Amino acid sequence: MPGKAWEQRRALVLDRFNGSCFIRHEAAETAGLTCAVALPIFADQVLKAILVVFCGGDADHVGAIEVWEERDGLLHLDDGYYGASTDFAQASKDVTFARGQGLPGGVWSARTPILMRDIGASQGFVRSDSAGRTGLKTGLGIPLPSPDGKVRVATFLSAPNTPLASRFEIWDAREERVGSQRRAVRIDGICEREGPLWPKLNPPIDILGVHPWQGPIGQVLGTGLPHVVGNGVALPAGYRSMVAVPIYRGETLAFITAWYL
């Protein structure tokens, strides 16, 4: 799967392992895994890394991972995994997004990661009725830059009882935001334990920042690569694992998204 994503230079979603390009399908099925998404991380034309995320599920679990691709001026569903969310899966196959519309279109327009809360009741989430019936609560959308210049967006949709993550964060590393000194500041986030993670003051003098090599987010700043923690070291209290993903604009690291379990 990583090699196929490298060859095709785009994100891939597998909703089954047996009979697919996935070589380790027997081990994955034994471990109870049911889907995988491969996300190539590009800095302009250079492949920095390929992140592969695995999920497990059954008839009682909901959640979604989607990849949207621009065709003829609209974003269409390129691939997705929905677990038991059959109603939401059908709604997703039948919808397209204009620039600035919904979560995928918002990411396309802003060229930034976007975190949406209460998507089942949000007017900004086009599929809110179906999301509400399914039990989906939180949505994270990230841009997927590619050397072919095509617009692609990945969305991760999570439910409280079966979360893809229990904490999401978005960090801004753009020079126009942080100045000439390399660092990143947390501009948005939500945590089941701590609640909202965005700055509480206006102007945001309480904004949290990190420098290269400082904690897990700083590792991404220092290396320019995704960073995975599986032992709880340097993570907020109560969390054992996290994934932090760099997002580039051209050759420059612009944002970092992180999710925790």
Side-chain angles (χ1 to χ4, degrees):
M1 186 179 185
K4 188 172 182 180
W6 183 8
E7 178 189 35
Q8 297 187 6
R9 309 190 115 195
R10 65 184 184 90
L12 298 176
V13 178
L14 291 184
D15 58 4
R16 60 182 177 85
F17 293 121
N18 195 10
S20 71
C21 65
F22 195 79
I23 296 174
R24 298 164 288 165
H25 63 86
E26 291 183 358
E29 290 168 355
T30 300
L33 302 174
T34 53
C35 84
V37 56
L39 301 177
I41 310 298
F42 284 99
D44 198 14
Q45 298 293 312
V46 177
L47 177 67
K48 304 290 285 186
I50 295 177
L51 175 70
V52 181
V53 178
F54 296 92
C55 295
D58 55 38
D60 298 321
H61 289 73
V62 298
I65 300 174
E66 305 171 317
V67 176
W68 299 85
E69 182 178 282
E70 186 270 329
R71 296 193 296 270
D72 300 322
L74 295 171
L75 285 176
H76 298 255
L77 183 66
D78 183 56
D79 213 343
Y81 176 78
Y82 298 91
S85 315
T86 54
D87 179 63
F88 188 76
Q90 187 58 52
S92 302
K93 293 173 183 176
D94 295 338
V95 71
T96 58
F97 293 94
R99 191 181 183 112
Q101 182 185 29
L103 178 57
V107 174
W108 177 15
S109 178
R111 299 173 62 212
T112 67
I114 292 177
L115 183 59
M116 274 191 175
R117 303 150 183 81
D118 297 321
I119 59 177
S122 171
Q123 293 183 350
F125 194 81
V126 172
R127 298 165 287 167
S128 60
D129 287 345
S130 180
R133 290 193 299 271
T134 301
L136 296 172
K137 181 82 170 177
T138 306
L140 174 68
I142 62 174
L144 297 175
S146 176
D148 62 12
K150 276 202 168 188
V151 175
R152 295 185 180 91
V153 173
T155 53
F156 298 82
L157 309 175
S158 188
N161 60 332
T162 55
L164 294 173
S166 299
R167 177 185 177 111
F168 295 93
E169 297 175 345
I170 298 175
W171 297 74
D172 193 338
R174 295 172 298 168
E175 185 174 346
E176 59 263 35
R177 181 64 183 262
V178 300
S180 58
Q181 185 181 21
R182 285 186 66 204
R183 67 188 192 109
V185 294
R186 192 170 66 194
I187 57 173
D188 201 0
I190 191 167
C191 174
E192 287 185 0
R193 295 176 174 87
E194 300 178 36
L197 300 175
W198 56 84
K200 308 297 190 300
L201 300 179
N202 189 17
I205 58 175
D206 61 332
I207 195 166
L208 180 64
V210 298
H211 296 279
W213 311 109
Q214 181 184 2
I217 302 301
Q219 293 293 318
V220 180
L221 272 178
T223 64
L225 303 174
H227 185 68
V228 179
V229 177
N231 58 8
V233 174
L235 299 187
Y239 290 100
R240 288 283 305 168
S241 59
M242 65 90 73
V243 179
V245 183
I247 298 168
Y248 286 82
R249 283 189 178 176
E251 298 178 350
T252 304
L253 197 162
F255 298 94
I256 300 169
T257 61
W259 55 93
Y260 301 72
L261 276 172

